[in-house]
Amino acid sequence: MKVFSMSQRIYYKDLEPEAESIIKKDLELYNCMLHKAFKICFDRAYKDVTYSETDQRMIKSFYGTSDYFPLSAIYEAKALVKSLKCREKEDRDLIKTRLKKINKIIKKKENQLKKALKKKEKLINRSKKKKYTEEDYLYEVQVLDPNIKRLKSIIRNLKFRRNRNVFKLKRKMPSVCFGGKKNLRSDLETFRFKRSRRMLIPGRRQGKYSNNLFKLNIDNDMLTYRSTQKDIVFKVQFHKYKDELYARVNEKHNSPDKAVAYELMDYGEYFIVKAIFEKHMNLPKTDTLYGAIGIDINVDHIALCETNMDGNIVLIKKYPIHKENTKNKRNEELYQLAIEIMEQCKSKKKSLVVEDLNFKQLKTRMLYRPKKQNETLSSFAYKKILEKVERKCLMNEVDVIKVDPRNTSKIGKEKYTKIKGLSVHYCAAYVINRRGMGFVD
C-alpha cells in the first residue's frame, strides 16, 4: 500500500542565499513541462494527433534540460490523462443514471398533467350543459388551474435539465484547468501561484538513494536536491512512517519496493517535502470463524453489532457523531472512532463487515427528494468515515469485508426489531454482520 511521510517546514531563509530563487525557478520550469506534456498526451488521447518524435525528446529539446525533469513531467501527465479518462467514464455513467431518473419523473408528471387536463375538460363540458355549480368554479380556479400551471412548469424545467445532460453526454472532450477555475476567475496571482507550486519526482529502483533528484542521507538526516543549477542541501526530519522510509532507502539495488517518490510543495516563505513509497502490509490476522463485527453508519451515530460463531448477538454499541462540531473537531472525532472500532476488532480477532456503497449513485438518488432530507444526506460524511475505518483496519492487520447494502435496514426492521427488541440501526448492523459471515436473511 502506498503511504507518505511529511517533512517539517523548511524555511527559505535558513538555506543558502540563492536557494529560494533556484527552487522557485525549478518549480516553474517543471510545471511548464508538465503542462506541455499533458497537452501532448491529451491531444494523442482525444484528438488522435501523432508526433514524429518521442515525448521525452520533444520536451527535452524545447526546454534544454537533462532527462530527469522531462521524464517526471511526462510520467505525471500520462497519469493525469489516465485518471481523466476514468473520471470521464464515471461521469458518463452517472449522467446516464440521472437521465433515467429524469425521464421517469417526466413521465410521472405528464400522467398527472393528463389527468388534470381531463378534469378541466369535464368541467368545461359541464359548463356547456349548464350544470356548472359554484363548487365546480371554486375547484377549477383555486385547485385545478394552479395545479396544471405548476405541473407544466415542472415538466418544462425537467426537460431543460434533460437537454443539458444530453448535451454533456454528447461532449467528447473534457476541459482541464491547472490551478483551478475558481482561482482563475477570482484572483490571478493566487491562480499563478497554485499553478506552479508543486513538483513530483517519481522514484527509482536503481541507485543508492531511490530517486533521481532527491538524495536522502539516513545517517545525518540530510536531503540533497539536485536542481538545474546546483545541489541544495538541507536538514530534513520526516515524521510518520520514518522507519519504513529509511528501510526503503536501505534496500538492495533494484529491489521491487525500493523506489521513493518525492513531492515538493511551496507555501511562499517555506516548503515541505513529501516522501511517497510502498509500505509492506502483513496479511490480516482476523477472520469470521468465531464471529464478526458489523457496523451501520448513520447521520448522527455508528451502530456496532458483534456476533459469535453461530451468528448470535453478543455485543451492541453506539458511537455518537456530533454534526454541530467544526470541520477539524469532526475529523478528529471520526479519527478516534475509527481507532476504537479497529481496536474492538483487533482485541476480539474478528473481521469488520461494512456496506459496499456506490457514492456516485447515492448522489443521483438524492435528486428530487425533500430539501431537508437532501441537506441531511449532504452533511453526512459517510465516505469519509468509511475510508478512515478501512484505512485504520488495513494498517493494523484487520480484515474488512464489504457486503451488498440492499435492504439491510428493511430486513432488520421487519425481521429482527421485535424479536431482538433493538432499534432499526442495531438490527441493520446485525444483518450486515450476518451477510459478512455468509448467512442469508
Side-chain angles (χ1 to χ4, degrees):
M1 186 179 70
K2 289 277 191 307
V3 295
F4 63 86
S5 182
M6 303 282 286
S7 73
Q8 85 284 15
R9 293 181 179 181
I10 303 160
Y11 286 89
Y12 290 113
K13 62 183 181 181
D14 298 334
L15 304 179
E16 303 171 22
E18 299 176 354
E20 182 176 0
S21 62
I22 291 171
I23 290 173
K24 292 194 173 180
K25 280 180 183 177
D26 285 356
L27 284 168
E28 190 174 351
L29 176 66
Y30 172 82
N31 282 279
C32 288
M33 291 180 182
L34 174 62
H35 302 153
K36 188 171 181 63
F38 181 81
K39 188 179 183 308
I40 292 168
C41 297
F42 186 88
D43 291 346
R44 189 182 288 117
Y46 288 96
K47 299 180 182 179
D48 298 327
V49 179
T50 55
Y51 296 96
S52 58
E53 290 185 320
T54 61
D55 300 348
Q56 181 188 351
R57 284 187 178 180
M58 279 192 289
I59 295 173
K60 185 181 175 182
S61 61
F62 188 83
Y63 289 99
T65 61
S66 62
D67 288 327
Y68 299 134
F69 281 97
L71 285 172
S72 301
I74 292 164
Y75 180 83
E76 188 176 356
K78 285 180 178 178
L80 287 171
V81 171
K82 187 177 178 181
S83 66
L84 188 66
K85 281 189 172 183
C86 294
R87 178 66 186 270
E88 188 189 10
K89 185 179 180 301
E90 286 180 3
D91 288 343
R92 290 177 72 85
D93 293 340
L94 185 62
I95 290 169
K96 287 176 183 177
T97 310
R98 195 181 295 145
L99 280 170
K100 285 180 184 177
K101 184 152 191 177
I102 291 170
N103 287 328
K104 187 178 177 182
I105 295 167
I106 288 173
K107 191 176 179 181
K108 181 182 174 183
K109 296 296 179 185
E110 283 178 344
N111 289 334
Q112 291 177 2
L113 181 62
K114 282 179 185 178
K115 289 178 182 178
L117 290 171
K118 280 182 182 179
K119 288 180 183 178
K120 175 86 173 174
E121 192 178 347
K122 283 181 182 179
L123 290 172
I124 292 169
N125 291 333
R126 282 173 69 88
S127 67
K128 287 178 181 178
K129 293 177 183 179
K130 297 183 179 180
K131 295 180 180 180
Y132 201 64
T133 62
E134 187 181 350
E135 285 127 7
D136 292 337
Y137 171 76
L138 291 172
Y139 175 71
E140 183 181 357
V141 173
Q142 294 180 357
V143 178
L144 201 57
D145 287 346
N147 191 31
I148 290 170
K149 188 178 179 181
R150 181 181 63 84
L151 286 170
K152 284 182 177 178
S153 176
I154 290 170
I155 291 167
R156 193 163 53 248
N157 291 335
L158 285 169
K159 285 182 176 178
F160 175 75
R161 175 169 278 190
R162 182 177 64 185
N163 292 338
R164 282 190 64 192
N165 282 285
V166 169
F167 173 75
K168 287 179 182 177
L169 202 61
K170 289 179 179 178
R171 189 175 60 184
K172 293 183 178 179
M173 285 190 295
S175 59
V176 180
C177 180
F178 287 92
K181 290 181 182 177
K182 187 177 179 182
N183 295 321
L184 177 61
R185 291 168 186 162
S186 60
D187 187 4
L188 194 58
E189 288 185 8
T190 307
F191 169 74
R192 284 174 176 166
F193 174 72
K194 290 200 171 180
R195 190 177 167 86
S196 59
R197 66 183 294 233
R198 57 177 292 280
M199 174 172 58
L200 178 64
I201 307 298
R204 184 185 179 188
R205 299 197 312 184
Q206 295 86 4
K208 183 179 177 182
Y209 296 102
S210 307
N211 197 276
N212 290 322
L213 297 182
F214 289 89
K215 295 182 177 181
L216 177 62
N217 192 335
I218 59 177
D219 297 327
N220 54 9
D221 292 333
M222 299 299 289
L223 187 66
T224 304
Y225 166 58
R226 294 174 61 190
S227 69
T228 51
Q229 298 181 29
K230 64 175 184 179
D231 291 357
I232 299 171
V233 185
F234 48 87
K235 186 83 173 177
V236 69
Q237 184 65 43
F238 290 102
H239 301 289
K240 202 171 183 181
Y241 306 122
K242 180 181 176 180
D243 296 335
E244 287 89 346
L245 171 60
Y246 285 8
R248 295 292 85 74
V249 177
N250 266 333
E251 282 188 3
K252 292 180 181 179
H253 174 78
N254 208 21
S255 299
D257 298 329
K258 183 176 174 61
V260 178
Y262 289 94
E263 185 178 16
L264 193 147
M265 292 283 292
D266 184 27
Y267 289 90
E269 296 181 354
Y270 61 91
F271 65 90
I272 290 175
V273 178
K274 183 196 292 186
I276 307 163
F277 55 93
E278 191 76 27
K279 186 180 185 299
H280 294 313
M281 304 302 299
N282 298 323
L283 292 173
K285 294 182 179 178
T286 60
D287 52 40
T288 58
L289 185 63
Y290 298 103
I293 293 175
I295 58 170
D296 179 49
I297 303 174
N298 301 285
V299 177
D300 56 349
H301 73 280
I302 298 174
L304 181 143
C305 179
E306 182 186 345
T307 58
N308 58 15
M309 62 188 300
D310 299 319
N312 297 320
I313 298 173
V314 295
L315 174 71
I316 56 170
K317 202 169 182 180
K318 180 179 178 181
Y319 297 97
I321 300 171
H322 300 95
K323 296 189 297 177
E324 64 278 2
N325 285 344
T326 59
K327 185 179 178 181
N328 290 335
K329 281 187 178 180
R330 193 161 58 247
N331 285 337
E332 181 61 28
E333 183 183 39
L334 296 179
Y335 181 75
Q336 294 300 327
L337 286 179
I339 291 174
E340 287 184 37
I341 293 168
M342 178 273 298
E343 287 178 348
Q344 180 77 15
C345 298
K346 195 172 182 180
S347 61
K348 300 294 180 68
K349 294 185 178 179
K350 293 179 180 180
S351 298
L352 181 70
V353 187
V354 297
E355 292 178 306
D356 187 13
L357 289 174
N358 186 340
F359 298 100
K360 294 264 184 184
Q361 298 296 335
L362 279 177
K363 284 185 179 180
T364 305
R365 288 177 204 156
M366 286 169 63
L367 284 172
Y368 313 113
R369 280 186 176 177
K371 188 176 179 182
K372 287 187 178 179
Q373 189 179 3
N374 281 345
E375 285 177 359
T376 305
L377 288 170
S378 298
S379 63
F380 175 36
Y382 187 99
K383 188 176 181 180
K384 190 180 286 186
I385 297 167
L386 198 57
E387 283 178 352
K388 286 182 183 294
V389 172
E390 281 186 35
R391 189 169 182 82
K392 272 292 162 192
C393 290
L394 188 62
M395 299 297 290
N396 290 274
E397 302 168 4
V398 175
D399 189 23
V400 178
I401 301 170
K402 293 185 177 181
V403 297
D404 189 355
R406 282 181 292 183
N407 300 325
T408 51
S409 298
K410 190 175 180 181
I411 293 169
K413 182 181 179 180
E414 293 179 358
K415 192 171 182 181
Y416 293 114
T417 46
K418 290 183 180 179
I419 298 171
K420 303 293 183 182
L422 299 172
S423 69
V424 177
H425 305 302
Y426 286 126
C427 293
Y430 181 50
V431 173
I432 293 166
N433 189 325
R434 286 172 61 82
R435 278 189 186 178
M437 291 181 69
F439 294 104
V440 179
D441 290 308

Short mmCIF file of all heavy atoms in Angstrom, two decimals, residues 164-193:
data_model
loop_
_atom_site.label_atom_id
_atom_site.label_comp_id
_atom_site.label_asym_id
_atom_site.label_seq_id
_atom_site.Cartn_x
_atom_site.Cartn_y
_atom_site.Cartn_z
N ARG A 164 -29.76 19.48 -21.00
CA ARG A 164 -28.40 19.80 -20.54
C ARG A 164 -27.58 18.54 -20.34
O ARG A 164 -26.40 18.47 -20.71
CB ARG A 164 -28.46 20.59 -19.24
CG ARG A 164 -28.82 22.05 -19.40
CD ARG A 164 -28.61 22.80 -18.12
NE ARG A 164 -27.21 22.82 -17.73
CZ ARG A 164 -26.77 23.22 -16.54
NH1 ARG A 164 -27.63 23.63 -15.63
NH2 ARG A 164 -25.49 23.22 -16.26
N ASN A 165 -28.19 17.52 -19.73
CA ASN A 165 -27.47 16.26 -19.51
C ASN A 165 -27.18 15.53 -20.80
O ASN A 165 -26.13 14.91 -20.94
CB ASN A 165 -28.28 15.38 -18.56
CG ASN A 165 -28.15 15.79 -17.11
OD1 ASN A 165 -27.14 15.56 -16.47
ND2 ASN A 165 -29.15 16.46 -16.58
N VAL A 166 -28.10 15.60 -21.77
CA VAL A 166 -27.86 15.00 -23.08
C VAL A 166 -26.70 15.70 -23.77
O VAL A 166 -25.85 15.06 -24.41
CB VAL A 166 -29.14 15.07 -23.94
CG1 VAL A 166 -28.84 14.69 -25.40
CG2 VAL A 166 -30.20 14.14 -23.37
N PHE A 167 -26.63 17.03 -23.64
CA PHE A 167 -25.52 17.80 -24.23
C PHE A 167 -24.19 17.40 -23.59
O PHE A 167 -23.18 17.24 -24.28
CB PHE A 167 -25.78 19.30 -24.04
CG PHE A 167 -24.63 20.16 -24.47
CD1 PHE A 167 -24.36 20.37 -25.81
CD2 PHE A 167 -23.78 20.75 -23.54
CE1 PHE A 167 -23.30 21.16 -26.22
CE2 PHE A 167 -22.71 21.53 -23.92
CZ PHE A 167 -22.47 21.74 -25.28
N LYS A 168 -24.20 17.23 -22.26
CA LYS A 168 -22.97 16.80 -21.58
C LYS A 168 -22.54 15.42 -22.04
O LYS A 168 -21.35 15.11 -22.13
CB LYS A 168 -23.19 16.79 -20.06
CG LYS A 168 -23.25 18.16 -19.43
CD LYS A 168 -23.49 18.04 -17.94
CE LYS A 168 -23.61 19.41 -17.27
NZ LYS A 168 -23.92 19.29 -15.83
N LEU A 169 -23.52 14.56 -22.29
CA LEU A 169 -23.22 13.19 -22.72
C LEU A 169 -22.62 13.17 -24.12
O LEU A 169 -21.78 12.32 -24.43
CB LEU A 169 -24.51 12.37 -22.68
CG LEU A 169 -24.38 10.85 -22.59
CD1 LEU A 169 -23.66 10.45 -21.32
CD2 LEU A 169 -25.75 10.20 -22.63
N LYS A 170 -23.03 14.10 -24.97
CA LYS A 170 -22.51 14.16 -26.34
C LYS A 170 -21.14 14.83 -26.43
O LYS A 170 -20.44 14.67 -27.41
CB LYS A 170 -23.50 14.92 -27.23
CG LYS A 170 -24.77 14.15 -27.51
CD LYS A 170 -25.72 14.96 -28.38
CE LYS A 170 -26.99 14.18 -28.67
NZ LYS A 170 -27.94 14.98 -29.47
N ARG A 171 -20.79 15.59 -25.39
CA ARG A 171 -19.50 16.29 -25.41
C ARG A 171 -18.36 15.29 -25.39
O ARG A 171 -18.30 14.43 -24.52
CB ARG A 171 -19.40 17.24 -24.21
CG ARG A 171 -18.21 18.17 -24.25
CD ARG A 171 -18.25 19.13 -23.09
NE ARG A 171 -18.23 18.43 -21.82
CZ ARG A 171 -18.33 19.03 -20.65
NH1 ARG A 171 -18.48 20.32 -20.59
NH2 ARG A 171 -18.30 18.34 -19.54
N LYS A 172 -17.44 15.41 -26.32
CA LYS A 172 -16.38 14.41 -26.49
C LYS A 172 -15.14 14.72 -25.67
O LYS A 172 -14.49 13.82 -25.15
CB LYS A 172 -16.01 14.28 -27.97
CG LYS A 172 -17.13 13.70 -28.82
CD LYS A 172 -16.70 13.52 -30.25
CE LYS A 172 -17.82 12.90 -31.07
NZ LYS A 172 -17.43 12.72 -32.49
N MET A 173 -14.76 16.00 -25.57
CA MET A 173 -13.51 16.34 -24.90
C MET A 173 -13.77 17.04 -23.56
O MET A 173 -14.47 18.05 -23.53
CB MET A 173 -12.66 17.25 -25.80
CG MET A 173 -12.01 16.51 -26.94
SD MET A 173 -10.80 17.51 -27.79
CE MET A 173 -11.83 18.78 -28.47
N PRO A 174 -13.21 16.53 -22.47
CA PRO A 174 -13.36 17.22 -21.19
C PRO A 174 -12.45 18.44 -21.11
O PRO A 174 -11.50 18.57 -21.87
CB PRO A 174 -12.93 16.16 -20.18
CG PRO A 174 -11.97 15.29 -20.93
CD PRO A 174 -12.45 15.30 -22.35
N SER A 175 -12.75 19.33 -20.19
CA SER A 175 -11.92 20.54 -20.01
C SER A 175 -11.08 20.41 -18.75
O SER A 175 -11.51 19.81 -17.77
CB SER A 175 -12.82 21.78 -19.89
OG SER A 175 -13.70 21.64 -18.80
N VAL A 176 -9.88 20.96 -18.80
CA VAL A 176 -8.93 20.88 -17.68
C VAL A 176 -8.34 22.26 -17.45
O VAL A 176 -8.03 22.97 -18.40
CB VAL A 176 -7.79 19.87 -17.98
CG1 VAL A 176 -6.82 19.80 -16.82
CG2 VAL A 176 -8.36 18.49 -18.26
N CYS A 177 -8.19 22.64 -16.17
CA CYS A 177 -7.58 23.93 -15.84
C CYS A 177 -6.61 23.74 -14.68
O CYS A 177 -7.03 23.51 -13.55
CB CYS A 177 -8.66 24.96 -15.46
SG CYS A 177 -7.99 26.58 -15.04
N PHE A 178 -5.31 23.79 -14.96
CA PHE A 178 -4.31 23.69 -13.90
C PHE A 178 -4.35 24.96 -13.07
O PHE A 178 -4.30 26.07 -13.61
CB PHE A 178 -2.91 23.51 -14.50
CG PHE A 178 -2.67 22.16 -15.08
CD1 PHE A 178 -2.92 21.91 -16.42
CD2 PHE A 178 -2.22 21.12 -14.29
CE1 PHE A 178 -2.70 20.67 -16.97
CE2 PHE A 178 -2.00 19.86 -14.83
CZ PHE A 178 -2.24 19.64 -16.17
N GLY A 179 -4.41 24.81 -11.76
CA GLY A 179 -4.50 25.96 -10.87
C GLY A 179 -5.90 26.22 -10.36
O GLY A 179 -6.09 26.96 -9.41
N GLY A 180 -6.92 25.63 -11.03
CA GLY A 180 -8.29 25.76 -10.57
C GLY A 180 -9.06 26.86 -11.26
O GLY A 180 -8.60 28.00 -11.33
N LYS A 181 -10.25 26.54 -11.77
CA LYS A 181 -11.09 27.53 -12.45
C LYS A 181 -11.55 28.62 -11.49
O LYS A 181 -11.71 29.77 -11.87
CB LYS A 181 -12.30 26.84 -13.06
CG LYS A 181 -11.96 25.96 -14.24
CD LYS A 181 -13.20 25.32 -14.82
CE LYS A 181 -12.84 24.38 -15.98
NZ LYS A 181 -14.04 23.70 -16.51
N LYS A 182 -11.77 28.22 -10.23
CA LYS A 182 -12.23 29.19 -9.23
C LYS A 182 -11.20 30.30 -9.04
O LYS A 182 -11.53 31.49 -8.99
CB LYS A 182 -12.50 28.47 -7.92
CG LYS A 182 -13.14 29.33 -6.86
CD LYS A 182 -13.43 28.51 -5.61
CE LYS A 182 -14.04 29.39 -4.53
NZ LYS A 182 -14.29 28.62 -3.29
N ASN A 183 -9.91 29.92 -8.92
CA ASN A 183 -8.84 30.92 -8.75
C ASN A 183 -8.65 31.74 -10.02
O ASN A 183 -8.33 32.93 -9.94
CB ASN A 183 -7.54 30.23 -8.37
CG ASN A 183 -7.63 29.55 -7.02
OD1 ASN A 183 -8.22 30.08 -6.09
ND2 ASN A 183 -7.04 28.38 -6.90
N LEU A 184 -8.84 31.12 -11.18
CA LEU A 184 -8.68 31.84 -12.44
C LEU A 184 -9.71 32.95 -12.57
O LEU A 184 -9.42 34.04 -13.07
CB LEU A 184 -8.81 30.85 -13.60
CG LEU A 184 -8.73 31.42 -15.02
CD1 LEU A 184 -7.38 32.09 -15.25
CD2 LEU A 184 -8.96 30.33 -16.05
N ARG A 185 -10.93 32.70 -12.07
CA ARG A 185 -11.99 33.69 -12.18
C ARG A 185 -11.88 34.78 -11.13
O ARG A 185 -12.33 35.90 -11.34
CB ARG A 185 -13.35 32.99 -12.04
CG ARG A 185 -13.69 32.11 -13.24
CD ARG A 185 -14.88 31.24 -12.93
NE ARG A 185 -15.13 30.27 -14.01
CZ ARG A 185 -15.88 29.19 -13.86
NH1 ARG A 185 -16.43 28.92 -12.70
NH2 ARG A 185 -16.07 28.37 -14.88
N SER A 186 -11.30 34.45 -9.97
CA SER A 186 -11.30 35.41 -8.87
C SER A 186 -9.98 36.17 -8.73
O SER A 186 -9.94 37.40 -8.81
CB SER A 186 -11.63 34.68 -7.56
OG SER A 186 -10.66 33.67 -7.31
N ASP A 187 -8.88 35.43 -8.53
CA ASP A 187 -7.60 36.07 -8.21
C ASP A 187 -6.51 35.50 -9.10
O ASP A 187 -6.17 34.31 -9.00
CB ASP A 187 -7.27 35.85 -6.73
CG ASP A 187 -6.05 36.62 -6.29
OD1 ASP A 187 -5.52 37.39 -7.11
OD2 ASP A 187 -5.62 36.46 -5.14
N LEU A 188 -5.93 36.34 -9.96
CA LEU A 188 -4.93 35.88 -10.92
C LEU A 188 -3.61 35.52 -10.25
O LEU A 188 -2.95 34.55 -10.64
CB LEU A 188 -4.70 36.96 -11.99
CG LEU A 188 -3.94 36.52 -13.24
CD1 LEU A 188 -4.65 35.38 -13.94
CD2 LEU A 188 -3.74 37.69 -14.18
N GLU A 189 -3.21 36.25 -9.21
CA GLU A 189 -1.96 35.97 -8.50
C GLU A 189 -2.02 34.61 -7.80
O GLU A 189 -1.08 33.82 -7.85
CB GLU A 189 -1.66 37.07 -7.49
CG GLU A 189 -1.23 38.38 -8.14
CD GLU A 189 -0.82 39.42 -7.12
OE1 GLU A 189 -0.73 39.07 -5.92
OE2 GLU A 189 -0.60 40.57 -7.50
N THR A 190 -3.15 34.36 -7.12
CA THR A 190 -3.34 33.07 -6.46
C THR A 190 -3.35 31.94 -7.48
O THR A 190 -2.78 30.86 -7.25
CB THR A 190 -4.65 33.06 -5.66
OG1 THR A 190 -4.68 34.18 -4.80
CG2 THR A 190 -4.80 31.79 -4.84
N PHE A 191 -3.97 32.19 -8.62
CA PHE A 191 -4.03 31.19 -9.69
C PHE A 191 -2.61 30.85 -10.18
O PHE A 191 -2.27 29.68 -10.33
CB PHE A 191 -4.89 31.71 -10.83
CG PHE A 191 -4.80 30.89 -12.08
CD1 PHE A 191 -5.41 29.65 -12.16
CD2 PHE A 191 -4.09 31.34 -13.19
CE1 PHE A 191 -5.32 28.88 -13.31
CE2 PHE A 191 -4.00 30.59 -14.34
CZ PHE A 191 -4.63 29.36 -14.39
N ARG A 192 -1.79 31.88 -10.42
CA ARG A 192 -0.43 31.64 -10.92
C ARG A 192 0.43 30.92 -9.89
O ARG A 192 1.26 30.08 -10.23
CB ARG A 192 0.22 32.98 -11.29
CG ARG A 192 -0.30 33.52 -12.61
CD ARG A 192 0.22 34.90 -12.89
NE ARG A 192 -0.20 35.40 -14.20
CZ ARG A 192 -0.11 36.65 -14.58
NH1 ARG A 192 0.40 37.57 -13.75
NH2 ARG A 192 -0.53 37.02 -15.78
N PHE A 193 0.21 31.25 -8.60
CA PHE A 193 0.98 30.60 -7.54
C PHE A 193 0.59 29.12 -7.43
O PHE A 193 1.46 28.24 -7.38
CB PHE A 193 0.74 31.31 -6.21
CG PHE A 193 1.37 30.63 -5.03
CD1 PHE A 193 2.73 30.65 -4.85
CD2 PHE A 193 0.59 29.95 -4.10
CE1 PHE A 193 3.33 30.01 -3.77
CE2 PHE A 193 1.17 29.32 -3.02
CZ PHE A 193 2.54 29.34 -2.86
#
